[in-house]
Amino acid sequence: MSSSQSDANAAYERLMSVTNAVGKKHFIDDPTAYQVQIRPDKSVSPGKFLNDPLIPGGYKAHPTTIRAMKKDIFAAGSELFEDLEFIINCDSCKAELDLQFWHFCPFCEAQFSKSCVK
């Protein structure tokens, strides 16, 4: 099991243990996995995803964007990604990014530093 998969599993277990004000489970205990196909295409601007005409339901993205994105993204319930949102500004290019999706900046390839956190 990879480190990112282990982190996703640990986050899932923590969220599944959360209860609401009346002691009921806050999230449905039925994880669903989705697989998205993304094809590398250097003609796509870094940090962008475009619908892929060759793969129905798939996307194409710059190879740097594909390398920068986290491969295991965890979402819980209908809230999806908002609850885990962590917005930063890249120190190098000043792009605003949600850290939960990226290992490094998909636009300029800079590593994230603690000083770029809003």
Side-chain angles (χ1 to χ4, degrees):
M1 182 180 310
S2 70
S3 174
S4 63
Q5 187 176 13
S6 176
D7 292 345
N9 288 341
Y12 172 77
E13 292 300 324
R14 281 194 306 277
L15 285 172
M16 290 302 105
S17 68
V18 173
T19 57
N20 61 21
V22 293
K24 302 266 184 178
K25 282 187 169 188
H26 193 64
F27 296 106
I28 298 169
D29 193 14
D30 182 22
T32 303
Y34 295 95
Q35 187 171 22
V36 177
Q37 293 185 344
I38 303 173
R39 180 173 60 92
D41 184 338
K42 289 185 178 182
S43 71
V44 178
S45 299
K48 306 289 182 193
F49 296 90
L50 299 177
N51 290 326
D52 191 335
L54 303 178
I55 303 172
Y59 297 90
K60 56 185 183 174
H62 193 278
T64 300
T65 304
I66 295 171
R67 280 194 331 272
M69 62 184 244
K70 292 184 178 178
K71 306 308 184 250
D72 295 326
I73 300 173
F74 177 76
S78 61
E79 292 82 17
L80 295 175
F81 303 109
E82 291 86 7
D83 288 345
L84 301 175
E85 184 177 76
F86 187 48
I87 303 297
I88 63 162
N89 287 320
C90 175
D91 280 339
S92 180
C93 71
K94 308 302 181 213
E96 185 174 275
L97 303 161
D98 190 341
L99 193 60
Q100 69 179 319
F101 300 118
W102 306 105
H103 290 294
F104 57 88
C105 181
F107 299 103
C108 70
E109 300 184 53
Q111 296 298 315
F112 299 129
S113 68
K114 291 181 182 181
S115 64
C116 67
V117 177
K118 278 187 171 179

